[in-house]
Amino acid sequence: MQKQASKGIEKETIKRTITLIPGDGIGPEITEAMVRVVEATGADIEWEVVNAGAEVYEREGTVLPQRVIDSLKKNRVGIKGPITTPVGTGFRSVNVALRKFFDLYACVRPCKNYPGISSRYEGVDIVIIRENTEDLYAGVEFECGSSEAIELINFIKERKDVDIRKDSGISIKPISIGASERIIRFAFEYARKNNRKKVTCVHKANIMKYSDGLFLDVFKRIASDYQDIESEDRIVDNMCMQLVQKPQFYDVLVLPNLYGDIVSDLAAGLVGGLGVAPGANIGDEIALFEPTHGSAPKYKGKNKVNPTAMMLSAVLMLKYIGENECADVMEKAIAEVIKEGKYVTYDLKPGSDNHTAVGTLEMTEAIVDKIKSFKVQY
Ligand code: NAD
């Protein structure tokens, strides 16, 4: 417990402990940048630093040590930098493992225009809500030529009289009523709490009647409980075209896992790229915040990348724990530095080798200075 002066009155505060997972690649740099900015806001936070990923694996022989699990279980809120997943071979994604282990079923990815970021569009303010636990990401796969794949192919021929080529690999797409209900309800509740007007369900129910069709049926049923919020649905291919043509028409989108993954990168592209796209993975008990982008290994340790996505993920986290004032100050400072366009990283400058771009550290310092200048004004 510590004493803190607020508006001239001394108040007693209990610091909230947050699990901090720096990650690897560019993770540690952007995590450090985020911590400096959160601390500049004066948020009552204490960090519990634990790490996971490739570097931990080299030292300890596991990518996800028990202390990371224990820390998240205890603190219930965490924020993480990106973690590399080897392609093809090696360990499976730590990011996916964490979402599964803690049943963080809702992936929330806001995509909003900030003045100063060059993008083809203005006035975009979309929130993608992606189901995180099932669909083609359930991890149920049958390797081409395996006895299980052949058995499954024979079973389908026998039961459905459908020929699947013997040289096929097969991935299973489960979509359940329970998981659809909770993600769709989450989307409507999110809309209500955040004064959003419309929820759009994205699917391919015309082709996949028993999986996406189920998702759409559940959506229609749950939408009727939220008469105050407009609801509609779009087929995913049409949705992609509409987002490119008129993204300003859309508000909250709710999608099964695979479409959610793809459409959230599309939406990040609408507002200036991965460097400014934050994210959150939320369950009933625990929430883990992280940028949408990955570990960009080629930029590791180069003081090059944009810390904004990581910082905006912290803004989401601050709102989640009720530190709304600190969240607003932090977002305003980030937005002003971006709008001024002087102390911003390469990805926010016109041209790929713009010599006026600054590094991660310099952009972070500019945001910290901006927060300090707000405090002087008050
Ligand atoms: P990536 O997002 O790491 O990078 C793609 C490109 O986007 C980079 O080369 C860079 O040009 C740009 N970029 C990304 N972040 C940026 C930033 N903050 N500022 C400026 N530019 C930025 O995607 P990738 O190369 O496909 O993946 C690299 C690794 O990250 C892979 O191992 C992948 O599995 C992992 N990954 C992790 C997460 C996560 O931890 N949640 C998410 C996605 C990918």
Side-chain angles (χ1 to χ4, degrees), residues 218-288:
V218 172
F219 176 80
K220 287 182 176 161
R221 175 162 54 78
I222 289 182
S224 66
D225 293 344
Y226 294 86
Q227 298 289 341
D228 50 322
I229 295 161
E230 194 187 332
S231 63
E232 62 178 15
D233 72 278
R234 294 279 180 278
I235 291 174
V236 62
D237 35 353
N238 178 26
M239 184 78 249
C240 291
M241 187 195 69
Q242 302 238 353
L243 282 175
V244 172
Q245 283 193 326
K246 42 187 176 183
Q248 300 85 353
F249 282 25
Y250 294 93
D251 191 345
V252 175
L253 308 185
V254 63
L255 313 90
N257 210 337
L258 177 64
Y259 311 143
D261 193 8
I262 297 167
V263 173
S264 47
D265 270 35
L266 188 160
L270 296 175
V271 296
L274 286 171
V276 294
N281 300 292
I282 298 177
D284 288 333
E285 304 287 333
I286 289 172
L288 183 59

Side-chain angles (χ1 to χ4, degrees), residues 80 82-85 95 290 293-296 298-299 305-306 346:
K80 68 176 274 295
I83 295 176
T84 308
T85 310
N95 312 301
E290 61 177 340
H293 65 73
S295 58
K298 68 179 177 190
Y299 291 136
V305 295
N306 190 345
Y346 79 98

Side-chain angles (χ1 to χ4, degrees), residues 131-145:
E131 203 287 323
N132 239 353
T133 65
E134 49 179 29
D135 193 358
L136 283 159
Y137 286 59
V140 187
E141 298 200 286
F142 299 91
E143 194 177 357
C144 171

Side-chain angles (χ1 to χ4, degrees), residues 43-64:
D44 289 324
I45 282 178
E46 210 157 77
W47 307 101
E48 187 166 288
V49 182
V50 284
N51 213 359
E55 285 159 25
V56 176
Y57 183 72
E58 275 164 29
R59 279 198 311 273
E60 304 179 28
T62 171
V63 281
L64 185 53

Side-chain angles (χ1 to χ4, degrees), residues 3 17 26 37 69 97 103 130 144 160 201 205 214 284 290 310 319 322 326 331 348 356 376:
K3 284 192 174 168
T17 307
I26 57 169
V37 173
I69 309 258
D103 200 19
R130 161 188 171 193
C144 171
K160 304 282 278 181
C201 171
L214 178 151
D284 288 333
E290 61 177 340
M310 185 76 192
K319 286 188 183 156
C326 295
E331 189 178 9
L348 299 184
T356 64
V376 172

